[in-house]
Amino acid sequence: MSLEEAIQKSISEIPECLAGGYVDLTSGMLLGIKTVDSHPQEVLEMLAAATADLFQGPNVVTIENMFKKARGLPLDDFHYFQEIIVNSENLIHIFMRSKANQEHVVTFVCRRTANLGMVLTKARAALPKVEAAL
């Protein structure tokens, strides 16, 4: 199954899901995306850059290192933040760091009317399937 097919399958299984994407944080590239709407290329490119900032921006890395230090963990390449949920006016944005590759993030966008618990459950179940398609 291709990455785009895995994302599409995940979108169909996550409640009220409108889009899914796979971002490489190292390169800042959007490796795969499926959406019910069409979006200009510059918007899609900004999605990848914003996702990288969200997980690896300088302030985020500083906070992660402070948490690691407070908990007696080594200041290594391990990333403390694994999932980020952003609720906007009409949407739920789920960002999940890949378990297989810490430099990759899977993201799903759902309508705000979706049950957040079900969205998280289904998104977490989809993560290994999307990772396996890469």
Side-chain angles (χ1 to χ4, degrees), residues 8 69 89 91 123:
Q8 183 61 53
K69 186 176 178 182
E89 186 67 28
L91 301 169

Side-chain angles (χ1 to χ4, degrees), residues 3-4 7 11 19-22 30-35 39 44 47:
L3 180 59
E4 284 76 19
I7 294 170
I11 288 171
Y22 197 91
L30 187 61
L31 301 180
I33 188 163
K34 283 293 181 180
T35 179
H39 301 284
L44 300 178
L47 170 70

Side-chain angles (χ1 to χ4, degrees), residues 97-114:
R97 191 181 290 275
S98 168
K99 306 291 184 217
N101 184 339
Q102 289 280 296
E103 300 305 315
H104 290 175
V105 171
V106 177
T107 181
F108 296 106
V109 180
C110 303
R111 288 186 183 91
R112 183 93 187 253
T113 54

Side-chain angles (χ1 to χ4, degrees), residues 11-25:
I11 288 171
S12 69
E13 295 172 351
I14 298 171
E16 300 188 55
C17 193
L18 304 171
Y22 197 91
V23 177
D24 178 355
L25 299 176

